[in-house]
Amino acid sequence: MRGAREEPGWLRGEPPPRWARLAPAVALVVLVLAQRATPGDVELGYFLAGLPPVAAFAYGAAGTAFFAAMVLLLLGVPALGVAHARGSDLATVAAVGLLSVVIAWVRRRRDAQLVSVRTVAEAAQLAVLPPVPQRVGRVRCSGLYRAAQRGTLVGGDLYDVRAGPYGVRALVADVQGHGLAAVATVAALLGAFREAVLDDAELVEVAARLDRRLLADAVQPPAGAAGQPELFVTAVLVEFPPGPPGPGLVRIVSCGHPPPLLLSGTSVRELLVEPGPPLGLGLAGPDPSPVAEVRLAPGDRLLLYTDGVTEARDRAGHFYPLASRVPVLSRDAAGLVRAVWRDLAAFSGGGPRDDVALLLLSPDGATDADGRREAAAGFPEVPH
């Protein structure tokens, strides 16, 4: 399953719903029939004058002009038996119709401009945080991302999975704050991580590089971003080394982040990973974050997540019990990460108010053949 977010196309806007387009036509027919069914001294036809403004919300200038013309025809021809409008009344209805056409034209132009701006915004956000692929090296990936700020695809959480000469490495992180204010930090972290995957032999070196990036940005922020002296990020780094000492070995470094969940058959448990300090505080110093090594059995999976999942509350104030819900949700045919999101949204009454990131990693099981495939892809096998 590919990384899932809100469908990107929703940012571009949608055409008016079908009922909005049918409403003016249905109202026109209903009013004409109602006028014919009422006594002659009761005139309902003048309600037709309100149809062109209604049509302007669902139709363009041409469609609105058609409704305006139909209303003028029905009101201006007494033989039709709809109304007996006089000259001043017809002039007023004509003015309303003309104004409705202008409103429809302006609305269509603004809609086109909005679609253009939203399309550019969507492309920019997807360039910062593209969906995770189905497979990276020998690791199958399934991710889900939901930004807390409505109208955005990227918030303060991030994840990425990359293959390099030292194996397949994954990052899940949570930037202080959320929304568009955190996007510059997300972009900087992802860029630093992708460089570290290729250059840094040890996982702690990757964490150190990310820490230096944040410290540098706090002092001299990127253009357009405000400096944040107390900027920090919690993160968990995972590494599946190529070839020996595998198969099944995974290395984990936690920087103040919730521990990954190990899914083994129907059982789920938190991995005992000693957390180091969050990134960006400069607290690590010469002592790197400790590295935990775990052996995975065939079929084992790792679920990485941000605190937007576990800190979501229901109406009674209870936190979402992720670890206890995963065994039940893992049987969902739609996939675990989607099942967790649906369950989380139902639990919290529509979805949490924080960014949410979920990343499920399923290694095939490292073998010498896997290592040779990674080397053939351009990443020579490098021993730790």
Side-chain angles (χ1 to χ4, degrees):
M1 180 190 299
R2 293 190 178 274
R5 298 200 195 103
E6 292 288 346
E7 292 299 326
W10 76 273
L11 282 179
R12 301 175 187 162
E14 297 179 353
R18 181 176 298 179
W19 65 265
R21 297 180 64 85
L22 292 176
V26 172
L28 187 147
V29 173
V30 169
L31 285 172
V32 170
L33 295 177
Q35 178 62 62
R36 291 185 177 277
T38 56
D41 58 341
V42 178
E43 291 194 3
L44 302 177
Y46 288 107
F47 287 104
L48 292 171
L51 295 185
V54 174
F57 288 100
Y59 290 86
T64 305
F66 170 78
F67 278 100
M70 287 293 296
V71 169
L72 283 173
L73 178 65
L74 291 170
L75 296 180
V77 180
L80 296 176
V82 177
H84 301 83
R86 299 178 180 179
S88 60
D89 296 330
L90 288 176
T92 302
V93 173
V96 171
L98 179 61
L99 181 60
S100 300
V101 170
V102 172
I103 291 174
W105 179 77
V106 172
R107 183 188 61 81
R108 278 293 175 91
R109 285 201 61 183
R110 293 296 299 272
D111 284 351
Q113 294 172 349
L114 185 60
V115 167
S116 177
V117 170
R118 286 180 168 178
T119 302
V120 172
E122 175 187 318
Q125 292 180 75
L126 289 178
V128 172
L129 191 61
V132 65
Q134 289 178 302
R135 177 181 291 272
V136 178
R138 60 183 178 82
V139 179
R140 288 168 291 161
C141 310
S142 178
L144 181 141
Y145 190 97
R146 293 290 188 272
Q149 184 170 335
R150 184 174 178 81
T152 62
L153 297 176
V154 181
D157 289 358
L158 63 124
Y159 56 54
D160 200 7
V161 186
R162 297 280 163 164
Y166 308 102
V168 176
R169 286 170 169 171
L171 165 69
V172 172
D174 184 357
V175 177
Q176 172 197 17
H178 58 266
L180 294 177
V183 172
T185 302
V186 168
L189 279 175
L190 287 172
F193 172 72
R194 291 161 187 170
E195 291 179 359
V197 166
L198 300 176
D199 298 337
D200 295 330
E202 300 294 335
L203 201 57
V204 292
E205 296 175 1
V206 179
R209 182 189 290 250
L210 299 180
D211 188 64
R212 291 195 302 272
R213 175 74 273 165
L214 289 171
L215 289 174
D217 286 350
V219 176
Q220 186 175 359
Q228 301 184 56
E230 297 181 356
L231 176 67
F232 68 90
V233 175
T234 66
V236 60
L237 293 156
V238 176
E239 176 184 270
F240 301 90
L249 179 68
V250 58
R251 298 188 177 99
I252 303 172
V253 169
S254 175
C255 303
H257 200 81
L261 296 180
L262 174 61
L263 286 61
S264 183
T266 59
S267 66
V268 176
R269 65 180 177 90
E270 285 188 353
L271 291 178
L272 298 177
V273 180
E274 183 181 350
L279 302 173
L281 299 180
L283 300 178
D287 299 323
S289 300
V291 180
E293 293 192 349
V294 179
R295 290 281 179 178
L296 302 182
D300 285 355
R301 297 175 292 171
L302 290 180
L303 180 62
L304 284 63
Y305 55 93
T306 56
D307 60 11
V309 178
T310 52
E311 293 183 1
R313 297 173 181 259
D314 63 9
R315 293 182 177 179
H318 301 125
F319 290 110
Y320 180 69
L322 177 63
S324 63
R325 294 296 299 158
V326 165
V328 178
L329 300 173
S330 61
R331 296 192 291 268
D332 194 302
L336 177 60
V337 293
R338 290 185 183 273
V340 170
W341 170 251
R342 290 198 305 268
D343 191 57
L344 179 62
F347 176 87
S348 57
R353 298 181 180 179
D354 197 2
D355 301 317
V356 168
L358 291 162
L359 183 62
L360 184 67
L361 303 175
S362 309
D364 290 340
T367 64
D368 290 342
D370 288 326
R372 286 193 293 271
R373 281 200 298 271
E374 288 178 5
F379 302 119
E381 199 171 316
V382 180
H384 279 267

